[in-house]
Amino acid sequence: MATLSVCIGSSCHLKGSYNVIQTFQQMIEEYHLPDDTLTFNGAFCMKQCAEPGVAVSFEGAVYHVKPEEARSFFRETVLPVLERGEQ
């Protein structure tokens, strides 16, 4: 099972973490991803405050995702891993 976490610390909240979370939730529903495929949660500060965008951890790597890029990030980074079954 893969793990996807979005930082909900103060800095990321101000950068749009709520919108990133909403987008990811919508995409999980759109793609009908089973519960045993992806663990999706919020995480407190990931210590990425100085970086642009919202800190997102996926399978141990940290990315910086702007809310307007959340859909493409999910399609290009998360879905391919899930489709290959690399979780």
Side-chain angles (χ1 to χ4, degrees):
M1 180 179 303
T3 301
L4 176 65
S5 301
V6 177
C7 181
I8 55 173
S10 299
S11 181
C12 285
H13 175 74
L14 293 173
K15 294 176 191 177
S17 63
Y18 177 78
N19 295 331
V20 172
I21 290 168
Q22 291 296 104
T23 299
F24 288 171
Q25 286 176 326
Q26 289 170 356
M27 296 194 75
I28 289 167
E29 290 174 17
E30 282 176 31
Y31 286 94
H32 306 288
L33 297 176
D35 291 339
D36 64 347
T37 304
L38 180 68
T39 298
F40 177 54
N41 56 36
F44 289 103
C45 190
M46 293 184 185
K47 309 289 187 217
Q48 300 292 311
C49 303
E51 300 297 328
V54 175
V56 174
S57 173
F58 181 61
E59 292 300 274
V62 177
Y63 302 87
H64 306 99
V65 180
K66 295 178 182 174
E68 62 272 14
E69 298 169 347
R71 289 187 74 78
S72 61
F73 172 82
F74 196 91
R75 277 194 304 268
E76 297 166 10
T77 306
V78 177
L79 284 179
V81 170
L82 299 178
E83 289 169 352
R84 288 191 303 262
E86 294 178 6
Q87 32 319 349

